[in-house]
Amino acid sequence: MAAHQRGADATAIGQLATQIPGFLVSFAVVAAVAVPLFGSVVGWLVVLAWLASGALVFHRPTELLFARRVVKLRAPLAEERARLEPIWREVTARAGIEADTYELMVENSDDLNASAVAGHVVSVTTYSLNRIPSSNLAAVLAHELGHHTGGHAWAGLLGYWYSLPGRIAWALTRGLARIALAVASVFSLAATGILVLFMGMFVVAGFIVAWYITIPLVIAPYLLAYAGRLGELRADQQAAALGFATEMAQVLHHFQAEEDAAKAYAAAQGKKLKEPGGLAKLLTSHPDNYTRLRALEPYLQLPR
């Protein structure tokens, strides 16, 4: 069996590093709320408890609760488990990993998809489970195993968790700003203009004073998306290295066929599907299918 049942490759480390500015903002938010509210001693204990809460990402009961309540996954039915487990054991045996290291779950969905969740959960959709060949299902599972062994799943969730207080604070700030502008607009246009000017000056001043935090925060979504695209390619390569290159390519061709069919249907209706622009493409967490297929080409070449 492999010495490391899971790890952290460059993609996972990059994800964590990109989330550091968000973590610092969240730390400041939690401390700013907890210390005045509960006092110095208890407040800092609350901060320490928040810091320690990241360990729940690796706590299996908490993961399963998260998977059921938030991601809407469920345990496989008896007949689903009877089909899924032999394929999963074949995949993990090829990788030299104990099958029981990860928990198998199912998502009720008509899409061909699967996911790696937190530190121990691998899920497949009911479509994937019931409608595709076992060899293709094995490739999909091998791809998700690649996310786990590379640390992509736990790193992404851990980064999101520690940036959440900052995200909530930013959302509340934006909500209060909208309310303030709505109230000001009731009184006069001049009051609204003055408020907008004040808010703009405040944002610019904060951006300049704390540039070492604000600039990384602005570029973080693009870096995270880039890390996500790298993670997908690495997981594809993991599946290919386990012997599922052809099957992974078949799955990607299926995805592309679905996209082409959607475009053709829209064209027949006199519509055109909106393509993402330049910046929107940079925020995409998955490479396009052609890029993924090109990355698989070295594994698909027959030996001479």
Side-chain angles (χ1 to χ4, degrees):
M1 289 296 172
H4 301 287
Q5 301 291 315
R6 67 175 64 82
D9 62 17
T11 300
I13 294 171
Q15 283 182 309
L16 292 174
T18 304
Q19 296 278 19
I20 289 175
F23 163 75
L24 294 176
V25 171
S26 292
F27 180 84
V29 169
V30 173
V33 172
V35 174
L37 189 62
F38 299 107
S40 180
V41 176
V42 177
W44 283 110
L45 288 175
V46 171
V47 174
L48 290 175
W50 172 73
L51 290 173
S53 66
L56 294 175
V57 169
F58 305 101
H59 182 240
R60 188 170 293 222
T62 303
E63 287 182 61
L64 295 178
L65 181 64
F66 172 82
R68 288 194 300 267
R69 301 296 185 184
V70 179
V71 192
K72 305 302 181 184
L73 305 179
R74 61 172 175 81
L77 302 175
E79 59 271 21
E80 293 172 333
R81 190 175 292 279
R83 178 164 192 253
L84 188 56
E85 283 193 346
I87 300 173
W88 175 243
R89 292 189 181 279
E90 168 68 18
V91 171
T92 53
R94 291 194 189 192
I97 289 175
E98 296 175 4
D100 293 339
T101 301
Y102 300 102
E103 192 81 23
L104 296 174
M105 301 191 77
V106 175
E107 176 187 2
N108 294 323
S109 172
D110 293 329
D111 295 328
L112 171 54
N113 202 6
S115 61
V117 181
H120 299 92
V121 177
V122 173
S123 77
V124 295
T125 60
T126 47
Y127 181 97
S128 302
L129 189 57
N130 300 318
R131 301 285 296 278
I132 67 174
S134 295
S135 57
N136 287 13
L137 179 57
V140 170
L141 290 172
H143 173 93
E144 301 308 328
L145 179 62
H147 281 310
H148 272 307
T149 56
H152 309 158
W154 68 259
L157 182 56
L158 194 66
Y160 178 81
W161 173 251
Y162 279 128
S163 66
L164 189 58
R167 294 172 186 267
I168 294 173
W170 175 241
L172 289 175
T173 301
R174 289 168 55 192
L176 291 173
R178 290 195 187 98
I179 294 172
L181 289 173
V183 172
S185 65
V186 173
F187 292 98
S188 70
L189 185 61
T192 304
I194 293 172
L195 186 58
V196 169
L197 181 62
F198 174 78
M199 288 180 177
M201 292 174 61
F202 181 80
V203 171
V204 170
F207 193 89
I208 294 174
V209 170
W211 61 268
Y212 47 88
I213 293 292
T214 53
I215 291 178
L217 283 175
V218 170
I219 66 175
Y222 299 95
L223 295 177
L224 284 172
Y226 176 69
R229 294 193 294 272
L230 286 182
E232 292 301 319
L233 295 177
R234 286 176 180 270
D236 285 347
Q237 291 165 0
Q238 163 83 355
L242 294 181
F244 299 108
T246 300
E247 293 79 8
M248 196 69 234
Q250 290 171 351
V251 171
L252 293 174
H253 281 299
H254 179 97
F255 287 147
Q256 189 58 47
E258 285 187 337
E259 288 185 14
D260 293 341
K263 290 178 181 178
Y265 178 78
Q269 300 293 318
K271 302 175 182 178
K272 185 178 180 181
L273 293 179
K274 186 177 180 181
E275 296 287 343
L279 288 178
K281 286 183 179 179
L282 293 178
L283 289 171
T284 302
S285 61
H286 282 62
D288 63 78
N289 297 315
Y290 293 118
T291 299
R292 295 175 69 178
L293 285 167
R294 283 196 300 271
L296 284 176
E297 286 179 358
Y299 298 91
L300 296 170
Q301 295 174 354
L302 295 175
R304 294 183 183 272

Coordinates of all heavy atoms in Angstrom, one line a residue, residues 72-77 79-80 83-84 105-115 123-132 137:
K72 N -25.6 17.9 -0.3 CA -26.7 17.1 -0.6 C -26.4 15.7 -1.2 O -27.0 15.2 -2.2 CB -27.7 17.8 -1.6 CG -28.1 19.2 -1.1 CD -28.8 19.1 0.2 CE -29.3 20.5 0.6 NZ -29.9 20.5 2.0
L73 N -25.4 15.1 -0.6 CA -25.0 13.7 -1.0 C -25.7 12.7 0.0 O -26.2 13.1 1.0 CB -23.5 13.5 -0.9 CG -22.7 14.5 -1.7 CD1 -21.2 14.2 -1.5 CD2 -23.0 14.5 -3.2
R74 N -25.8 11.5 -0.4 CA -26.4 10.4 0.4 C -25.5 9.1 0.3 O -24.7 9.0 -0.6 CB -27.8 10.1 -0.1 CG -27.9 9.7 -1.5 CD -29.3 9.2 -1.9 NE -29.5 8.9 -3.3 CZ -29.1 7.7 -3.8 NH1 -28.6 6.8 -3.0 NH2 -29.3 7.5 -5.1
A75 N -25.8 8.2 1.2 CA -25.1 6.9 1.2 C -25.7 6.1 0.0 O -26.9 6.2 -0.3 CB -25.3 6.2 2.5
P76 N -24.8 5.3 -0.6 CA -25.3 4.5 -1.7 C -26.4 3.5 -1.2 O -26.3 2.9 -0.1 CB -24.1 3.8 -2.2 CG -22.9 4.5 -1.7 CD -23.4 5.1 -0.4
L77 N -27.4 3.2 -2.1 CA -28.3 2.1 -1.8 C -27.6 0.8 -2.0 O -26.5 0.7 -2.5 CB -29.5 2.2 -2.8 CG -30.3 3.5 -2.7 CD1 -31.4 3.5 -3.8 CD2 -30.9 3.7 -1.4
E79 N -28.0 -1.8 -4.0 CA -27.7 -2.1 -5.3 C -26.6 -1.2 -5.9 O -25.8 -1.6 -6.8 CB -28.9 -2.2 -6.2 CG -29.7 -0.8 -6.3 CD -30.8 -0.7 -5.2 OE1 -30.6 -1.4 -4.2 OE2 -31.7 0.1 -5.4
E80 N -26.7 0.1 -5.5 CA -25.7 1.0 -6.0 C -24.3 0.7 -5.4 O -23.3 0.7 -6.1 CB -26.1 2.4 -5.6 CG -27.3 3.0 -6.3 CD -27.8 4.3 -5.7 OE1 -27.5 4.6 -4.5 OE2 -28.5 5.0 -6.4
R83 N -22.6 -2.2 -7.2 CA -21.9 -1.9 -8.4 C -20.7 -1.0 -8.2 O -19.6 -1.1 -8.9 CB -22.8 -1.2 -9.4 CG -22.1 -0.8 -10.7 CD -23.0 -0.4 -11.8 NE -22.3 -0.3 -13.1 CZ -22.0 0.8 -13.7 NH1 -22.4 2.0 -13.2 NH2 -21.2 0.8 -14.8
L84 N -20.8 -0.1 -7.3 CA -19.8 0.9 -7.1 C -18.5 0.4 -6.4 O -17.4 0.7 -6.8 CB -20.4 2.1 -6.3 CG -19.5 3.4 -6.1 CD1 -19.2 3.9 -7.5 CD2 -20.3 4.4 -5.3
M105 N -20.2 8.1 -1.7 CA -21.5 8.7 -1.6 C -22.1 9.0 -3.0 O -21.4 8.9 -4.0 CB -21.5 10.0 -0.7 CG -20.9 9.8 0.7 SD -21.2 11.2 1.8 CE -22.9 11.0 2.2
V106 N -23.4 9.3 -3.0 CA -24.1 9.4 -4.3 C -24.8 10.7 -4.3 O -25.4 11.2 -3.3 CB -25.1 8.2 -4.5 CG1 -25.9 8.4 -5.8 CG2 -24.3 6.9 -4.6
E107 N -24.8 11.4 -5.5 CA -25.6 12.6 -5.7 C -26.7 12.3 -6.7 O -26.5 11.8 -7.7 CB -24.7 13.7 -6.2 CG -25.5 15.0 -6.5 CD -24.6 16.0 -7.2 OE1 -23.4 15.7 -7.5 OE2 -25.2 17.1 -7.5
N108 N -28.0 12.6 -6.3 CA -29.1 12.5 -7.2 C -29.0 13.5 -8.3 O -29.3 14.7 -8.1 CB -30.4 12.6 -6.5 CG -30.6 11.4 -5.5 OD1 -30.2 10.3 -5.8 ND2 -31.2 11.7 -4.4
S109 N -28.5 13.2 -9.5 CA -28.4 14.1 -10.6 C -28.4 13.4 -11.9 O -27.9 12.2 -12.0 CB -27.0 14.9 -10.4 OG -26.8 15.7 -11.6
D110 N -28.9 14.1 -12.9 CA -28.9 13.5 -14.3 C -27.6 13.9 -15.1 O -27.6 13.7 -16.3 CB -30.1 14.0 -15.0 CG -31.4 13.4 -14.4 OD1 -31.3 12.3 -13.9 OD2 -32.5 14.1 -14.5
D111 N -26.6 14.5 -14.4 CA -25.4 14.9 -15.1 C -24.3 13.8 -14.9 O -24.3 13.1 -13.9 CB -24.9 16.2 -14.6 CG -25.8 17.4 -14.9 OD1 -26.5 17.3 -15.9 OD2 -25.9 18.3 -14.1
L112 N -23.5 13.7 -15.9 CA -22.3 12.8 -15.8 C -21.2 13.6 -14.9 O -20.6 14.6 -15.4 CB -21.7 12.5 -17.1 CG -20.3 11.8 -17.2 CD1 -20.3 10.5 -16.3 CD2 -19.9 11.5 -18.6
N113 N -21.1 13.2 -13.7 CA -20.2 14.0 -12.8 C -19.8 13.2 -11.6 O -20.4 12.1 -11.3 CB -20.9 15.3 -12.4 CG -19.9 16.4 -11.9 OD1 -18.7 16.2 -12.1 ND2 -20.4 17.5 -11.4
A114 N -18.8 13.7 -10.9 CA -18.4 13.1 -9.6 C -17.7 14.2 -8.9 O -17.4 15.3 -9.5 CB -17.5 11.9 -9.9
S115 N -17.3 14.0 -7.6 CA -16.7 15.1 -6.9 C -15.9 14.4 -5.7 O -16.2 13.4 -5.2 CB -17.7 16.1 -6.3 OG -18.6 15.4 -5.4
S123 N -17.8 11.2 -4.3 CA -19.2 11.0 -4.7 C -19.3 10.9 -6.2 O -18.5 11.4 -7.0 CB -20.1 12.2 -4.2 OG -19.9 13.3 -5.1
V124 N -20.4 10.2 -6.7 CA -20.7 10.1 -8.1 C -22.2 10.4 -8.2 O -23.0 10.2 -7.3 CB -20.4 8.7 -8.7 CG1 -18.9 8.4 -8.7 CG2 -21.2 7.6 -7.9
T125 N -22.6 10.9 -9.4 CA -24.0 11.1 -9.6 C -24.7 9.8 -10.0 O -24.1 8.8 -10.4 CB -24.2 12.1 -10.8 OG1 -23.6 11.6 -12.0 CG2 -23.5 13.5 -10.5
T126 N -26.0 9.8 -9.9 CA -26.8 8.6 -10.2 C -26.7 8.3 -11.7 O -26.7 7.2 -12.2 CB -28.3 8.8 -9.9 OG1 -28.7 10.1 -10.3 CG2 -28.5 8.7 -8.4
Y127 N -26.5 9.4 -12.6 CA -26.3 9.2 -14.0 C -25.0 8.4 -14.2 O -24.9 7.4 -15.0 CB -26.3 10.5 -14.7 CG -26.1 10.4 -16.2 CD1 -27.1 10.4 -17.1 CD2 -24.8 10.2 -16.8 CE1 -27.0 10.3 -18.5 CE2 -24.6 10.1 -18.1 CZ -25.7 10.1 -19.0 OH -25.5 10.0 -20.3
S128 N -23.9 8.9 -13.6 CA -22.6 8.2 -13.7 C -22.7 6.8 -13.2 O -22.1 5.9 -13.9 CB -21.6 9.0 -12.9 OG -21.5 10.3 -13.3
L129 N -23.4 6.6 -12.2 CA -23.5 5.2 -11.6 C -24.3 4.3 -12.5 O -24.0 3.1 -12.5 CB -24.1 5.3 -10.2 CG -24.1 4.1 -9.3 CD1 -22.7 3.6 -9.1 CD2 -24.7 4.4 -8.0
N130 N -25.3 4.8 -13.1 CA -26.3 3.9 -13.8 C -26.2 3.9 -15.3 O -26.8 3.0 -16.0 CB -27.7 4.2 -13.4 CG -27.9 4.1 -11.9 OD1 -27.5 3.1 -11.3 ND2 -28.6 5.0 -11.3
R131 N -25.6 4.9 -15.9 CA -25.7 5.1 -17.4 C -24.4 5.0 -18.1 O -24.4 5.0 -19.4 CB -26.3 6.5 -17.6 CG -27.7 6.7 -17.0 CD -28.8 6.0 -17.8 NE -28.9 6.5 -19.1 CZ -29.6 7.5 -19.5 NH1 -30.3 8.2 -18.5 NH2 -29.7 7.9 -20.7
I132 N -23.3 4.9 -17.5 CA -22.0 4.8 -18.2 C -21.3 3.5 -18.0 O -21.6 2.9 -16.9 CB -21.1 6.0 -17.9 CG1 -20.6 5.9 -16.5 CG2 -21.7 7.3 -18.2 CD1 -19.5 7.0 -16.1
L137 N -16.7 4.7 -15.6 CA -16.9 5.1 -14.2 C -15.7 4.9 -13.4 O -15.4 5.7 -12.5 CB -18.0 4.2 -13.6 CG -18.4 4.4 -12.2 CD1 -18.8 5.8 -11.9 CD2 -19.5 3.4 -11.7

